[in-house]
Amino acid sequence: MMNMVNQRNRHARRSIVLSLVLVVGLLAACGTDTGNVQSAKQEAAVPSNSTEVVKNATEKVNIYPLTIKDELGHELKIPSKPTKIFAPIMEDSLVTLGIKPTMQWSNGVNPQVYLQDQLGSVPQISFAGGLPSFEAVLDSQPELIILHNSYASESGAYEKYAKIAPTYVFKNATTDLNSSLRALGKLLDESDKAEQAIKSYADKAANARTKLEGKIKGKKAAIIRFNAKGMFFMNSNYFSGYVLKHDLGFEQSDLVKDGALEVSLEILPELDADYIFLINDGNQGDRYFNELRESEVWKNVPAVKNGHVFETSNDYWLSGGFIANGKVIDDVARFLQP
């Protein structure tokens, strides 16, 4: 009898153990399945190359050392991103890219006044006697020199400046600001800012053309500049002349279009402009400015009779860059829609 009881007890214990093993196995299986599902969800949510994607999105490719040719064919190598830049007459474009030069251009009396809210602390270097000397440029220890036109190469200054630092020369940076700003953006690794500035200015010019269409369409404009040497027409190839013709859509006076440069009282009756803009360059042309305004010939010019003569700033109207050009557009809008 006792043996039969013991045998039944052993069978019962064996059944309990087997049941427990089965339950544990099922639980383990469920846990494994849940883990696999969760893992699958995570793998679906995060791509296998996520680390690489984040890295590519946050890291900017280093373009230096940069070897490049300027517009005159000179090859230069820029070892690293320059922080000390000498680019006389191109300060407007540098500021547009968020960069301060190591020195700023001056006519010997004033720098570009309209930029002084940004460049007031930057030392001035005079161009009153022509291009500054080798020693004057060397003193600022630039890491990159940028020259806005080919005169520096033609005068022999390029060869001297290139001994100081890598030197890039434009043929004429003011005739195509989009192109020259893109070139600067590439040199200084600020191409994104350059493209943003180009678009912003294009939008501003387009809006102005739309608002002023009734005042501008089919109308001719002329700019007369006064300095210590006399009175001169400004054509549409540069500075504010470019803005009026190419950005706002004014036609150019036939007198200017045909190649007239110097203004004399004798040719004023031929001036067929609907609007005339006067620029007294640093008040150096006061004598000629006053002579013109007091002339009876001048008073009989149609634009004068119609009250379509405007005296402008001698600063940004004679400067090249999107900041200056934007201010010219603002002035024209104010003159024509007071």
Side-chain angles (χ1 to χ4, degrees):
M1 175 64 78
M2 183 62 70
N3 288 337
M4 291 179 64
V5 171
N6 290 338
Q7 188 174 2
R8 283 199 297 271
N9 288 341
R10 284 197 296 272
H11 283 302
R13 286 195 296 269
R14 185 179 299 161
S15 296
I16 292 171
V17 170
L18 290 173
S19 297
L20 289 172
V21 170
L22 180 61
V23 169
V24 170
L26 289 172
L27 289 174
C30 290
T32 301
D33 290 345
T34 302
N36 288 340
V37 171
Q38 183 66 27
S39 177
K41 287 181 179 178
Q42 291 174 346
E43 288 178 2
V46 181
S48 61
N49 64 340
S50 60
T51 302
E52 184 178 347
V53 170
V54 171
K55 182 179 180 181
N56 290 341
T58 56
E59 285 189 2
K60 190 174 182 180
V61 177
N62 182 16
I63 67 168
Y64 304 101
L66 175 65
T67 300
I68 194 170
K69 285 187 177 182
D70 68 16
E71 293 188 353
L72 299 187
H74 306 124
E75 185 174 274
L76 60 149
K77 183 175 182 179
I78 306 173
S80 59
K81 185 176 176 68
T83 58
K84 299 180 70 176
I85 301 157
F86 178 52
I89 310 297
M90 299 196 70
E91 289 87 354
D92 189 309
S93 293
L94 289 183
V95 171
T96 296
L97 298 179
I99 296 169
K100 286 187 178 182
T102 185
M103 293 187 293
Q104 62 174 319
W105 173 92
S106 167
N107 62 8
V109 179
N110 294 311
Q112 296 166 95
V113 177
Y114 74 98
L115 292 175
Q116 293 315 293
D117 59 335
Q118 298 286 328
L119 302 181
S121 62
V122 176
Q124 299 174 25
I125 185 166
S126 175
F127 277 68
L131 289 168
S133 67
F134 173 91
E135 291 75 17
V137 177
L138 179 64
D139 281 346
S140 68
Q141 299 181 332
E143 297 167 352
L144 177 65
I145 298 173
I146 303 170
L147 303 173
H148 79 288
N149 65 27
S150 59
Y151 174 74
S153 183
E154 296 163 1
S155 66
Y158 165 80
E159 286 73 15
K160 296 178 181 178
Y161 288 179
K163 293 177 182 178
I164 300 173
T167 301
Y168 186 98
V169 187
F170 286 94
K171 289 181 180 177
N172 192 334
T174 62
T175 56
D176 185 349
L177 282 177
N178 287 356
S179 177
S180 61
L181 193 66
R182 285 190 174 108
L184 277 182
K186 185 174 182 179
L187 285 171
L188 305 174
D189 197 17
E190 297 292 354
S191 292
D192 288 346
K193 288 183 181 179
E195 293 302 327
Q196 290 169 8
I198 289 168
K199 183 182 184 305
S200 178
Y201 179 76
D203 290 344
K204 183 183 184 75
N207 290 335
R209 284 196 304 272
T210 300
K211 291 179 181 178
L212 299 173
E213 183 178 13
K215 301 278 188 178
I216 291 177
K217 190 173 182 179
K219 302 296 184 181
K220 296 178 181 179
I223 300 175
I224 301 177
R225 174 183 181 177
F226 303 82
N227 61 28
K229 297 180 180 179
M231 303 180 286
F232 306 90
F233 287 118
M234 183 182 293
N235 65 32
S236 63
N237 293 334
Y238 60 101
F239 298 161
S240 50
Y242 189 98
V243 177
L244 296 190
K245 175 69 168 68
H246 300 283
D247 296 337
L248 292 180
F250 282 105
E251 295 296 326
Q252 197 168 25
S253 164
D254 290 339
L255 191 61
V256 182
K257 190 187 302 182
D258 291 339
L261 177 61
E262 189 168 356
V263 179
S264 65
L265 297 180
E266 287 74 22
I267 68 171
L268 284 178
E270 302 175 36
L271 184 54
D272 57 339
D274 298 286
Y275 300 102
I276 301 173
F277 302 90
L278 307 179
I279 310 173
N280 189 354
D281 191 352
N283 295 318
Q284 297 179 62
D286 283 348
R287 170 190 164 192
Y288 299 100
F289 190 62
N290 294 328
E291 179 182 324
L292 179 70
R293 289 190 300 180
E294 294 169 3
S295 166
E296 291 300 322
V297 176
W298 170 250
K299 294 175 183 178
N300 284 306
V301 171
V304 178
K305 286 184 173 183
N306 294 329
H308 289 169
V309 177
F310 308 101
E311 297 180 17
T312 72
S313 166
N314 58 57
D315 190 15
Y316 47 83
W317 278 71
L318 296 175
S319 297
F322 285 134
I323 299 173
N325 289 3
K327 289 179 177 293
V328 170
I329 289 176
D330 290 339
D331 277 357
V332 173
R334 177 169 53 86
F335 291 149
L336 301 190
Q337 290 187 333

